[in-house]
Amino acid sequence: MKKIISVTLTVLMLLANLLCIEPAAAPKVPTADDMGGYENVCLTYTFRRSGSDNGRHYESDLLPYTAYLDKNGTIKDFFFDSYLFLPCMDYGPSGARMHLDENNPTKAIDWTSYVDDTFAKGANVDALEKAFGTTKAALGDTKSKAGVFFTLLYPGKKATSFGSLGGKSLNFSRLEDRKYAVKWMIDEQISRFEQRGYKNLDLVGFYWLEEFIASEDDAEILNYASDYLHSKGLKFIWIPWYKANGYERWESFGFDVACMQPNLMWIGYNDPTRVNSSVALSEQYGLSMEMECDGRVYTDEYFARYLNYLDGGLNSSMMNAVKMYYQDGKTAVYYKACYSNDERYRLVYDLTYKYAKKTLKQSDIDAVRPEQVTNGYEIVDDIKRDSLIAKDVDWISIGKSYTASRSYVDGNGADYQQVSGKELTDGIIASEPLSTDWHAYHHSLLDSDGKMSVTVDLGEIRNDLTHFYAHFDNRLEYGIGAPVGITLYVSNDGRSFRQLVTPELIMDASDSCIKYETSPVSARYVKMSCGVGGGNFVFCSEFLVGVKNGDVVDEPSESDEPSEPDESPEPDESSALEESSEPEESNEPSESPEPEQSKGEQTDLEESKGEVTDSEESSLEESNSEQASSDESVAENDQNGGIGVWIIVIACVALTVVVAVIVTVIKKKK
């Protein structure tokens, strides 16, 4: 009987332990220990060939990054401890984009030119050596070194005539040739670095440029690169965009550290839950969080967005994790903020320094949070396209001619590039993404004032204009952002315009529009102007001007007769149809030949940014905060549910064993 009691007690103790089992802890977020002691990585964009001097950095450009400068320009401390050199999303010498574009993949000349430029004499890596040396000397430090990461470009499989690297002709349809090119990229940059004999720099590792896993076939390439880098004692890092393909499986591709982009800076509206949703996913899957800002950060809305990043990092594990910082290409945000006379713009620099040093406090954020956090828009659940255009209005602009900033026609041959010069006044509200119904404005093709515009010629002066309407796409997954700073103007002669209004933008998850109604105004020409917000593109399908049904046109007097405009309002269809030239100089780190989603290499408002920045037409869609929360909840429930099932199974087995033992003992006694 004692044996029975002993066995029973043992089984019950085992059951008690099983019932106390908790779900496995989430992966640890990466810290400096995972990065060779480095944790604040400044993204340092180079190779913007459409910009001046290839967008190279010199010592004075990098000093506000290697050093924390007070308002008098005095060096007070080190700032970023490591630097990632990577190319802007611009075009290489072959005409291919430096980031993944399978329809126009990079060639050998692009790879060799990029490496040459990274190590340009006196610039980029050389400049970092000097700037960090200057900072060390000012602080009396003789030992510190700045960590350096270099980039691996994507070997596109359609580059069957890639060219030669290291004397070998390559065809990237062959896996071995792709591996050879990746190894060449690693060896060449290591060799250049070692030849310079830098005293103030420490080569830490390499970065995979593409921000999503383009193909599962790439797993073999990535793990090959990872194994080779690890054999040399180097790290392999990655920065996927928000919920990019493969982000939750980052370790399986051989990366040592992955840092996810929340992308709040580039989504169509200020979603206060986005950063926290991104942080939750990062903590769940063991990633860190990228800090992101662009030149719009001096405005109320985008300053508030940046504070959301700081807030999210401060109130989670992210401030103590590895931190990577995106802030445009040269001349970038932190540089401008450092030297700005605007106190709040300067705060971007100061608060980021505190965040990097882990001294940021909640009171630092709360004391400067602006009350106004939107930029003239209203969020609605759903814009009903059928109800957008008032039925009691004669839309007199339909069929009229117009002039506009040239539509983007370069790149991938998508339907939206087949422009006719009639898209904006044909009366068709586009319903399909990337269709022929859109006029694709691009940040590289702007008017002389840095804006994008359309001017409709009504053919005669009308004294009864009352309704103004425009419809836009809002699909950041394609790099298409909502317009900002929309302004309506009117003119009688096509030369002198007066501002009519800055209408509010109405937005939902995929559309945006303006609807402005007023008492009758007089004009022959009506112009709409706006800026780029949150992407490379603004897509507009219609710009309409109307009058109330039954209103009549007042015959203009002789004094009202319009003079001939300086420039004909007739559209230049041959110009619209010809392919765009190489994008003009921009302050953003990237140029994109097709809509894409990414880390938003956005630009300053003074110039225009592009990237969302930094990727390709992915099957992934932007998820709202509720979906992110749901994903996390489902994952947790699945995990707990699975453990619960096993506990029940084990408990049943244990009880069966107990019963069997008792029955056996009783039978023996009998």
Side-chain angles (χ1 to χ4, degrees):
M1 190 63 183
K2 288 182 178 179
K3 289 183 178 180
I4 296 174
I5 295 172
S6 176
V7 171
T8 302
L9 288 174
T10 300
V11 172
L12 291 175
M13 288 176 65
L14 289 171
L15 286 174
N17 288 333
L18 287 171
L19 292 172
C20 290
I21 291 177
E22 295 182 358
K28 179 182 74 70
V29 298
T31 64
D33 292 339
D34 302 300
M35 290 272 284
Y38 298 97
E39 64 175 310
N40 289 292
V41 186
C42 181
L43 275 62
T44 309
Y45 282 91
T46 65
F47 207 55
R48 186 173 63 233
R49 296 178 65 252
S50 59
S52 60
D53 198 23
N54 277 21
R56 292 172 181 165
H57 298 267
Y58 297 94
E59 180 182 358
S60 60
D61 299 317
L62 294 175
L63 190 61
Y65 299 90
T66 59
Y68 172 70
L69 306 179
D70 67 13
K71 293 181 180 179
N72 297 317
T74 303
I75 296 175
K76 307 299 290 187
D77 193 4
F78 290 107
F79 199 156
F80 298 102
D81 61 14
S82 45
Y83 299 80
L84 164 58
F85 289 93
L86 68 169
C88 296
M89 192 174 288
D90 206 337
Y91 299 98
S94 75
R97 189 177 56 165
M98 296 304 291
H99 287 230
L100 170 63
D101 181 355
E102 281 287 20
N103 292 316
N104 186 21
T106 53
K107 304 292 178 61
I109 185 63
D110 304 312
W111 290 42
T112 56
S113 296
Y114 167 65
V115 173
D116 288 343
D117 190 74
T118 300
F119 291 93
K121 187 175 182 179
N124 299 334
V125 187
D126 281 4
L128 180 60
E129 165 79 1
K130 293 179 181 178
F132 202 78
T134 298
T135 303
K136 287 172 61 176
L139 297 173
D141 184 303
T142 59
K143 297 182 178 180
S144 296
K145 290 188 176 184
V148 174
F149 293 86
F150 294 124
T151 291
L152 297 182
L153 299 177
Y154 186 82
K157 287 180 285 187
K158 292 185 179 179
T160 54
S161 300
F162 177 77
S164 297
L165 293 177
K168 181 177 180 179
S169 181
L170 301 176
N171 175 352
F172 281 172
S173 67
R174 297 194 293 256
L175 177 62
E176 291 308 310
D177 282 7
R178 298 180 78 204
K179 288 182 177 180
Y180 175 91
V182 167
K183 182 178 181 297
W184 178 91
M185 195 77 180
I186 294 171
D187 289 341
E188 185 67 18
Q189 293 182 88
I190 291 175
S191 176
R192 301 279 188 106
F193 184 85
E194 291 177 343
Q195 288 171 12
R196 299 292 171 96
Y198 296 119
K199 305 298 183 184
N200 300 312
L201 306 181
D202 176 23
L203 179 55
V204 185
F206 281 73
Y207 165 66
W208 184 248
L209 182 60
E210 301 314 320
E211 299 163 4
F212 69 113
I213 301 302
S215 168
E216 293 302 319
D217 293 342
D218 293 338
E220 187 166 355
I221 293 288
L222 291 168
N223 280 289
Y224 170 80
S226 176
D227 291 343
Y228 187 61
L229 289 170
H230 291 160
S231 74
K232 293 181 172 296
L234 298 172
K235 304 291 184 182
F236 196 23
I237 65 174
W238 187 42
I239 312 177
W241 72 60
Y242 180 70
K243 288 182 151 184
N245 185 38
Y247 84 94
E248 73 276 39
R249 298 176 288 126
W250 62 272
E251 288 178 293
S252 70
F253 301 112
F255 298 116
D256 296 293
V257 170
C259 178
M260 188 155 70
Q261 310 165 31
N263 294 142
L264 172 63
M265 195 59 61
W266 299 289
I267 61 176
Y269 58 94
N270 187 14
D271 179 356
T273 68
R274 167 54 76 86
V275 170
N276 288 337
S277 296
S278 182
V279 165
L281 291 172
S282 290
E283 290 181 331
Q284 181 179 355
Y285 294 108
L287 299 88
S288 61
M289 179 184 81
E290 182 182 61
M291 295 294 294
E292 300 167 316
C293 64
D294 68 11
R296 296 169 295 178
V297 76
Y298 67 82
T299 66
D300 280 350
E301 175 177 356
Y302 288 91
F303 183 70
R305 292 192 189 202
Y306 192 63
L307 293 183
N308 283 347
Y309 283 84
L310 295 172
D311 209 338
L314 172 64
N315 292 291
S316 69
S317 62
M318 294 297 119
M319 190 170 77
N320 294 313
V322 167
K323 298 172 284 293
M324 302 185 189
Y325 301 78
Y326 170 83
Q327 38 99 47
D328 276 349
K330 178 187 174 182
T331 303
V333 172
Y334 298 147
Y335 179 95
K336 291 181 178 179
C338 174
Y339 294 115
S340 177
N341 292 323
D342 183 290
E343 289 188 8
R344 195 173 70 180
Y345 201 8
R346 167 72 196 201
L347 274 173
V348 173
Y349 185 74
D350 293 335
L351 293 175
T352 304
Y353 165 74
K354 289 183 177 182
Y355 183 77
K357 297 298 180 178
K358 306 176 187 176
T359 61
L360 184 68
K361 299 177 181 178
Q362 190 67 51
S363 57
D364 295 327
I365 299 173
D366 294 341
V368 297
R369 196 187 304 275
E371 294 182 6
Q372 175 69 17
V373 294
T374 63
N375 190 22
Y377 58 73
E378 175 191 356
I379 303 298
V380 298
D381 290 335
D382 183 27
I383 293 176
K384 305 294 185 183
R385 292 188 184 92
D386 293 341
S387 63
L388 286 176
I389 302 179
K391 300 300 188 292
D392 59 344
V393 174
D394 289 330
W395 297 102
I396 61 173
S397 59
I398 292 178
K400 296 297 193 297
S401 63
Y402 62 84
T403 56
S405 305
R406 192 168 62 169
S407 185
Y408 189 88
V409 296
D410 266 1
N412 59 0
D415 289 345
Y416 71 85
Q417 295 168 333
Q418 310 305 312
V419 292
S420 65
K422 299 178 181 180
E423 287 79 12
L424 293 174
T425 58
D426 60 7
I428 299 173
I429 305 299
S431 58
E432 297 296 328
L434 310 182
S435 71
T436 58
D437 297 325
W438 300 102
H439 181 99
Y441 292 102
H442 189 261
H443 66 83
S444 68
L445 302 171
L446 304 175
D447 299 339
S448 59
D449 61 358
K451 300 293 185 67
M452 49 191 63
S453 68
V454 54
T455 301
V456 176
D457 180 5
L458 300 175
E460 59 184 341
I461 295 177
R462 299 286 301 231
N463 296 322
D464 52 356
L465 307 180
T466 55
H467 287 67
F468 304 84
Y469 166 82
H471 174 243
F472 304 93
D473 205 6
N474 181 32
R475 299 175 193 270
L476 201 61
E477 64 267 29
Y478 296 143
I480 303 169
V484 295
I486 300 173
T487 307
L488 296 179
Y489 302 87
V490 292
S491 170
N492 283 350
D493 59 15
R495 293 191 301 267
S496 299
F497 285 85
R498 65 180 178 87
Q499 181 173 320
L500 180 61
V501 70
T502 55
E504 182 179 67
L505 187 69
I506 303 170
M507 301 177 61
D508 66 14
S510 61
D511 294 277
S512 55
C513 70
I514 60 168
K515 295 173 65 177
Y516 177 65
E517 300 178 15
T518 183
S519 54
V521 296
S522 174
R524 171 178 173 175
Y525 300 93
V526 182
K527 176 180 179 180
M528 178 179 66
S529 175
C530 65
V532 182
N536 289 321
F537 293 85
V538 168
F539 272 32
C540 184
S541 73
E542 202 68 15
F543 177 49
L544 295 176
V545 180
V547 301
K548 278 285 189 180
N549 283 339
D551 288 350
V552 295
V553 181
D554 293 334
E555 292 295 331
S557 63
E558 288 187 12
S559 61
D560 289 332
E561 284 293 334
S563 57
E564 289 299 317
D566 290 339
E567 296 181 9
S568 170
E570 294 295 325
D572 183 352
E573 294 193 15
S574 62
S575 172
L577 288 171
E578 70 183 10
E579 294 216 345
S580 307
S581 59
E582 184 172 292
E584 59 197 49
E585 181 176 350
S586 166
N587 211 25
E588 75 219 55
S590 61
E591 297 288 347
S592 166
E594 63 183 86
E596 60 187 322
Q597 167 167 5
S598 148
K599 80 176 71 151
E601 287 154 7
Q602 311 303 95
T603 179
D604 303 58
L605 286 182
E606 303 103 66
E607 302 180 27
S608 314
K609 154 90 196 158
E611 193 115 320
V612 168
T613 185
D614 261 313
S615 258
E616 316 343 42
E617 275 185 43
S618 162
S619 60
L620 294 177
E621 298 178 351
E622 284 282 34
S623 300
N624 58 27
S625 58
E626 289 82 358
Q627 182 62 45
S629 174
S630 173
D631 290 345
E632 185 177 3
S633 175
V634 168
E636 183 177 352
N637 290 339
D638 287 347
Q639 185 179 33
N640 291 339
I643 290 174
V645 170
W646 279 109
I647 288 175
I648 292 171
V649 171
I650 293 171
C652 290
V653 172
L655 288 173
T656 301
V657 171
V658 171
V659 171
V661 170
I662 293 172
V663 170
T664 301
V665 171
I666 291 172
K667 284 183 177 180
K668 285 183 179 180
K669 284 187 173 293
K670 289 181 178 180

